[in-house]
Amino acid sequence: MVTDKKKAMLYQQALLQHHKNPVGFNEAISFSHQARGSNAACGDEITLQLAYADHTIKAVAFNGESCAICRASASILCQQLPGATAKQAGEHISDILAGLDGQQAFPQEAEALMAVSQYPVRKQCALLPWTALKEIIPQLLADANVESHAEENSENPQEKN
Amino acid sequence: MYDQSPYKSDFAVFSHPDNAELCYLDSAATCLTPKVVVEAMYQYQSFSHANSHKGLYRLSASATELVEQARASVAEFIGAGVDELVFTPGTTEAINLVANSFVRPRLSTDKNIVISCAEHHANLLPWQRLCQQSGAELRVVSLTPQGLLDVAELSDLLDDNTCFLAISHISNVLGGLNPVEEVCRLARQKSIPVLIDGAQAVSHGPVDVKDIDCDFYAFSGHKLYGPVGCGVLFARADCIEVMEPDTLGGGIVEQVSLTGTRFISGPMKFEPGSHNVAAICGLVAAIDYIRGIGWSDLVAYMNELSTYLHRQLGDLPFIKPLTPGTSGAWLCSFQCQGVHSHDVAGMLDGDDIAVRAGHHCAQPLHHYLGLKSSVRVSLGLYNGREDIDRLVASLKNTYQLLAAD
């Protein structure tokens, strides 16, 4: 068997692990936000669902038909996000984008995607779930503002008077 | 049969150290280029290049002669008259030319155009747009279980209001040979003009447009071991006569004033601007290369190799071909059970095996078959049994890694 030695293996063990046992795949959660990502090049579609409360992402799930790269990437997303604030979720996206562009090392939890940066045509597969997440972030930030205003108001009801 | 193709050494690509292990199985997308084609283009561009059909000096005159000799050579190759052969940049432009120059003026809301559901987007979108713009109906013929055009259904769909019929000779996804002679006979009985998209078929054996009895036949040089940038439209002389030029520019006029233009007659009126003479020389060299091998040897070799491909893939229970019974095809489109087609292509690429994955510019066909995508393996003269053996080994490994528990 011939293997291109110049590039790292795209389908490395860590990625295959996520592909075979994806975190959050087809999981039923009581979600507050959802967004769909689609890849015009291959027709892949995934739906990302997110439960957000108290300024924090509580749970993330995804469903849809996609390739192993996209599914592993979505699985990593589902693994990383619970417990994060909207701002931290935005930072996760920036880290993944920078990693895929080869600008910085991947965060350890996302190392399974490392080789993808060497395969430009497959970057869009890895990006798909993160692009969907990016769509949700402004809504989370808006909700966070509403919540914090509400909290401010309830904590200091007299201030507005 | 040889493990390695006897024609492989004709192609320089494999002698490059980067490509020593290249297993190229995407010839339905584009064929690799034999040395003789590259050499012909190099010779022309280095030593004979000039603007054809315009200059009054020796170099230009010989470029003109090259183009016109090429027209005669290509015309003979497909049984066309020399006054019926238009050089285009490719199949896509050829079909668009027919849509805009021949069909558009004949369309109205009560008319219809007939195509099949297996068409490449290049032989679908121009007709779809014409129908949308004119209010005409786009009628779509379905396929037999073997993946061929359903001629009985086609016959039912053709009526007095059918303005045009556009059908592929061989589908770029399914690979079977459509009975275009029969299709043209049916259409002729109802005086319906026919275009055959020959992009795939032109490399599969001798094509004679007079035997087929079509009005238009389009193909690209690069699917015939020639270069990208030169395609061909055969148009019957009486069709050419009634067609107005679509793309306008220099070299296609008899007389121009600021208020009006009189165009030249004949195929050249569809070739505005400067000819891509290097690509045209490349196409002629490709045709000469095929003539040198001879159709009977070429077809026999490819048929034997295809039989081996279908047999070997047939032995893999996890490989599901899109349609059964296309064993005569020089390609095979399939799904690998439990593995996304892009992952199959990605895994094969890891073994330096080049295949196509996706919808292959035939999204409606995949929709018709209830699929989103498939993997396509297509053969060329440089392939031998070694390539198919490597494909099979890599597919087994792919399935093992990505799908098996």
Side-chain angles (χ1 to χ4, degrees):
Chain A
M1 188 179 298
V2 186
T3 305
D4 193 341
K5 300 285 193 310
K6 290 170 299 193
K7 289 184 186 173
M9 284 274 288
L10 180 59
Y11 296 90
Q12 45 188 282
Q13 209 51 46
L15 190 142
L16 291 174
Q17 274 304 325
H18 275 286
H19 165 62
K20 287 195 167 174
N21 301 298
V23 179
F25 183 58
N26 282 342
E27 215 166 277
I29 60 166
S30 158
F31 61 92
S32 55
H33 297 79
Q34 72 169 344
R36 223 174 62 169
S38 63
N39 185 345
C42 60
D44 280 1
E45 274 182 2
I46 70 158
T47 303
L48 195 67
Q49 297 176 332
L50 206 139
Y52 184 73
D54 303 332
H55 303 235
T56 313
I57 295 169
K58 302 292 184 191
V60 194
F62 74 102
N63 58 65
E65 198 181 308
S66 67
C67 68
I69 312 290
C70 178
R71 186 192 284 207
S73 185
S75 169
I76 287 166
L77 187 155
C78 290
Q79 206 171 40
Q80 280 192 347
L81 275 244
T85 62
K87 186 164 170 285
Q88 286 166 337
E91 287 162 7
H92 280 305
I93 298 178
S94 306
D95 286 347
I96 293 286
L97 286 177
L100 287 173
D101 285 341
Q103 288 164 3
Q104 67 178 51
F106 272 92
Q108 203 183 348
E109 320 82 77
E111 271 179 0
L113 296 175
M114 202 155 58
V116 181
S117 63
Q118 295 172 40
Y119 295 81
V121 289
R122 302 307 294 278
K123 270 190 209 172
Q124 53 190 347
C125 312
L127 276 174
L128 196 59
W130 300 91
T131 313
L133 174 64
K134 206 173 174 183
E135 252 181 60
I136 302 178
I137 301 267
Q139 300 165 31
L140 299 186
L141 287 170
D143 290 358
N145 279 335
V146 171
E147 273 185 43
S148 58
H149 283 311
E151 278 168 24
E152 278 169 22
N153 290 345
S154 61
E155 279 168 19
N156 304 300
Q158 68 281 24
E159 267 185 26
K160 293 274 170 188
N161 296 330
Chain B
M1 182 180 201
Y2 309 91
D3 272 350
Q4 190 177 89
S5 166
Y7 308 109
K8 191 170 181 174
S9 58
D10 296 343
F11 295 80
V13 60
F14 300 106
S15 61
H16 192 280
D18 282 356
N19 302 323
E21 300 292 344
L22 173 65
C23 173
Y24 186 80
L25 297 170
D26 197 19
S27 296
T30 194
C31 291
L32 300 177
T33 316
K35 291 175 205 166
V36 286
V37 169
V38 179
E39 182 60 25
M41 295 174 73
Y42 173 80
Q43 286 294 331
Y44 165 76
Q45 201 66 43
S46 301
F47 307 115
S48 307
H49 175 63
N51 205 349
S52 69
H53 299 88
K54 298 182 182 74
L56 296 175
Y57 46 89
R58 175 183 57 82
L59 210 58
S60 172
S62 53
T64 306
E65 205 179 321
L66 279 175
V67 174
E68 294 314 317
Q69 280 170 356
R71 201 186 302 278
S73 169
V74 179
E76 192 198 336
F77 184 65
I78 56 167
V82 73
D83 56 342
E84 299 173 310
L85 197 119
V86 183
F87 286 120
T88 67
T91 308
T92 299
E93 290 82 357
I95 296 174
N96 275 275
L97 168 62
V98 176
N100 291 324
S101 290
F102 185 80
V103 183
R104 186 189 291 278
R106 288 168 174 70
L107 267 189
S108 52
T109 46
D110 55 330
K111 303 282 189 200
N112 65 75
I113 294 175
V114 179
I115 61 169
S116 90
C117 69
E119 298 311 316
H120 186 285
H121 294 167
N123 196 32
L124 160 63
L125 302 191
W127 313 119
Q128 188 181 62
R129 173 169 287 182
L130 276 190
C131 288
Q132 283 165 349
Q133 288 173 340
S134 64
E137 182 191 355
L138 186 64
R139 294 185 176 174
V140 182
V141 185
S142 49
L143 306 176
T144 64
Q146 287 73 39
L148 294 175
L149 186 76
D150 186 332
V151 179
E153 188 188 327
L154 171 79
S155 177
D156 289 343
L157 286 183
L158 300 179
D159 62 22
D160 293 343
N161 288 321
T162 303
C163 175
F164 201 71
L165 173 60
I167 295 293
S168 55
H169 199 165
I170 290 180
S171 148
N172 70 312
V173 178
L174 303 173
L177 192 68
N178 281 319
V180 288
E181 290 86 355
E182 192 184 348
V183 166
C184 288
R185 202 161 46 242
L186 282 170
R188 188 70 62 214
Q189 286 164 6
K190 295 180 173 163
S191 305
I192 300 164
V194 185
L195 175 139
I196 305 294
D197 171 358
Q200 295 296 325
V202 73
S203 63
H204 281 52
V207 166
D208 189 309
V209 293
K210 301 293 172 185
D211 285 349
I212 296 172
D213 197 21
C214 55
D215 300 272
F216 301 95
Y217 194 95
F219 67 92
S220 300
H222 72 103
K223 288 187 164 76
L224 187 67
Y225 304 95
V228 171
C230 179
V232 168
L233 173 69
F234 154 76
R236 268 186 20 196
D238 53 328
C239 296
I240 287 187
E241 204 176 313
V242 298
M243 287 164 71
E244 286 278 306
D246 179 43
T247 306
L248 304 180
I252 61 170
V253 296
E254 265 177 18
Q255 197 183 39
V256 181
S257 74
L258 288 176
T259 51
T261 299
R262 201 167 65 236
F263 295 104
I264 56 172
S265 57
M268 278 262 300
K269 69 179 170 184
F270 304 118
E271 299 170 1
S274 301
H275 284 86
N276 187 348
V277 187
I280 291 170
C281 289
L283 174 61
V284 170
I287 288 173
D288 288 345
Y289 174 67
I290 285 170
R291 284 182 173 135
I293 294 171
W295 274 126
S296 64
D297 283 1
L298 187 154
V299 170
Y301 179 76
M302 293 301 294
N303 278 344
E304 199 179 341
L305 190 64
S306 305
T307 304
Y308 186 70
L309 169 72
H310 290 283
R311 199 171 61 222
Q312 295 305 99
L313 290 180
D315 283 346
L316 302 178
F318 52 89
I319 294 297
K320 311 286 180 199
L322 262 49
T323 50
T326 44
S327 55
W330 297 2
L331 60 78
C332 182
S333 295
F334 58 83
Q335 293 203 302
C336 178
Q337 203 175 308
V339 188
H340 191 284
S341 60
H342 281 199
D343 292 325
V344 176
M347 285 291 290
L348 295 179
D349 180 46
D351 289 338
D352 216 2
I353 300 170
V355 301
R356 182 80 180 261
H359 51 62
H360 326 312
C361 296
Q363 234 170 332
L365 171 61
H366 280 82
H367 185 74
Y368 171 81
L369 296 169
L371 308 169
K372 273 193 175 158
S373 66
S374 61
V375 178
R376 183 185 67 193
V377 168
S378 52
L379 301 172
L381 272 169
Y382 24 74
N383 294 127
R385 236 167 22 182
E386 56 172 2
D387 296 307
I388 294 164
D389 293 342
R390 275 180 56 195
L391 169 74
V392 166
S394 193
L395 283 173
K396 282 180 181 168
N397 181 45
T398 298
Y399 179 71
Q400 201 63 40
L401 269 180
L402 271 79
D405 293 326

